[in-house]
Amino acid sequence: MFKGILIEKDEAGYRATLTDLDEGRLPEGDVTVRVSHSTLNYKDALAITGKAPVVRTFPMVPGIDLAGTVEHSTHPDYAAGDAVILNGWGVGETHWGGLAQKARLNGNWLVPLPAQFTPQQAMAIGTAGYTAMLCVLALERHGVTPAHGEILVTGAAGGVGSVATAVLSRLGYTVVAVSGRPVETDYLKRLGAVEVLDRAAFATPGKPLGKERWAGAVDVVGSHTLANVCATTRYRGVVTACGLAGGMDFPATVAPFILRGVTLAGIDSVMCPRPERLEAWRRLASDLDVAKLAAISQEVGLTKAISLASKLLDGEVRGRVIVDVNR
């Protein structure tokens, strides 16, 4: 038996509870992992609360991230005792995830834990930080360098935004952060932002084109915010889009794309091919100041994850939430 959060949906309703689970209930997979840490992401919070149809099959153990040690493996790349991490691949949505003390997984979904990180540090980064690194790699791939100008990071006090701000600033970019929480200004400046803007300036309908300012951007919000970011991006600038915290809609015009040559680069972390995952984690190991992870993250026990989910959706949680599944 092991402890885990179980989401159920039946005639009695939708509910997430912390319960004891039998190992025989674990789904099919060629690697069994003793989980040490997981995380609480925006998607996990949606799954736990049921505020969006994230979970596709029931019952489900949520948790799109995990770090742990291989207990048993028939996969050629992994053996008992190996330290591994997992991000995405539909785990926590269609396959039991990391918010439990054990997981059985497809070994092709795993990557080795980088030697530079402890399991706690890897989960302080988690899917959010790995997604942030994919955004940075996309900016670089499209030729955006620090010399090109300011990089805007929306939702900057959240998990993706916090890591993006820390990584971009360390790489020499001039980072301007957007947040709806003025109290987080000092926090964002400690991470490397040179200026913090109020999200209200981006959250309502704007003009098809605004004054050019951003050489690039990392957007986790979507909706009017993403439209306004594109409208104020400089000629041949690049906007990476990886979230929908403000909505799935995109009420924009083609003007930024056909008049300024702006590139809108979509970032998907769930099904991202393994070589790009390995590169993202390699770059995180070299380009993220590990000392900043303490400021970016907080750690809670598995018993607190359910109650924290609603607060995360309400924007009351700073940075990353690490979940120690063994307490």
Side-chain angles (χ1 to χ4, degrees):
M1 302 293 289
F2 62 96
K3 291 192 178 296
I5 294 174
L6 190 69
I7 299 173
E8 298 173 280
K9 183 181 181 182
D10 51 32
E11 60 277 1
Y14 188 104
R15 59 196 178 279
T17 56
L18 179 61
T19 188
D20 290 317
L21 298 167
D22 190 300
E23 188 170 341
R25 297 185 67 183
L26 287 171
E28 292 185 2
D30 52 9
V31 180
T32 302
V33 176
R34 168 64 70 175
V35 181
S36 65
H37 296 82
S38 184
T39 64
L40 187 67
N41 293 280
Y42 191 84
K43 186 179 286 186
D44 300 320
L46 289 173
I48 289 170
T49 61
K51 290 187 176 180
V54 169
V55 177
R56 307 303 172 88
T57 61
F58 297 89
M60 178 58 58
V61 172
I64 64 174
D65 290 327
L66 65 84
T69 304
V70 173
E71 277 195 342
H72 176 75
S73 173
T74 58
H75 191 282
D77 293 343
Y78 299 101
D82 289 347
V84 294
I85 54 178
L86 179 142
N87 312 109
W89 291 116
V91 169
E93 301 174 68
T94 59
H95 188 100
W96 282 21
L99 285 169
Q101 293 172 325
K102 283 197 177 186
R104 185 170 292 135
L105 307 153
N106 182 333
N108 293 331
W109 299 342
L110 301 171
V111 297
L113 173 71
Q116 295 87 343
F117 300 129
T118 65
Q120 295 96 323
Q121 290 170 333
M123 291 297 95
I125 298 166
T127 285
Y130 143 68
T131 302
M133 193 71 238
L134 291 176
C135 291
V136 174
L137 292 172
L139 291 173
E140 293 179 343
R141 191 164 57 247
H142 285 89
V144 180
T145 70
H148 283 88
E150 297 172 309
I151 306 296
L152 187 73
V153 177
T154 67
V160 174
S162 293
V163 177
T165 299
V167 169
L168 286 164
S169 63
R170 190 175 191 189
L171 290 172
Y173 291 90
T174 302
V175 180
V176 177
V178 178
S179 177
R181 293 176 271 171
V183 69
E184 304 293 9
T185 297
D186 289 343
Y187 161 74
L188 291 168
K189 288 188 174 180
R190 288 197 303 273
L191 292 183
V194 299
E195 184 180 357
V196 180
L197 303 178
D198 191 331
R199 72 179 175 199
F202 297 84
T204 56
K207 298 178 181 180
L209 286 175
K211 183 178 179 181
E212 296 180 56
R213 180 167 180 183
W214 321 114
V218 174
D219 178 66
V220 304
V221 181
S223 192
H224 291 293
T225 295
L226 178 57
N228 287 321
V229 171
C230 290
T232 50
T233 295
R234 293 169 59 178
Y235 184 74
R236 295 236 165 161
V238 179
V239 178
T240 60
C242 64
L244 44 67
M248 191 178 288
D249 59 321
F250 183 42
T253 74
V254 299
F257 312 113
I258 65 173
L259 298 180
R260 291 182 180 164
V262 169
T263 295
L264 178 58
I267 305 298
D268 165 58
S269 61
V270 177
M271 305 303 290
C272 181
R274 179 178 171 83
E276 293 178 35
R277 290 171 181 265
L278 293 171
E279 175 63 8
W281 278 100
R282 185 191 71 79
R283 287 289 303 273
L284 283 162
S286 64
D287 297 334
L288 176 62
D289 183 355
V290 175
K292 290 184 177 180
L293 288 176
I296 289 172
S297 61
Q298 60 174 298
E299 185 173 313
V300 301
L302 191 58
T303 57
K304 301 291 186 183
I306 294 175
S307 60
L308 199 58
S310 293
K311 292 184 178 180
L312 193 153
L313 294 181
D314 290 339
E316 298 175 11
V317 176
R318 170 201 286 180
R320 301 282 297 130
V321 178
I322 308 166
V323 180
D324 181 343
V325 301
N326 295 303
R327 68 176 178 90

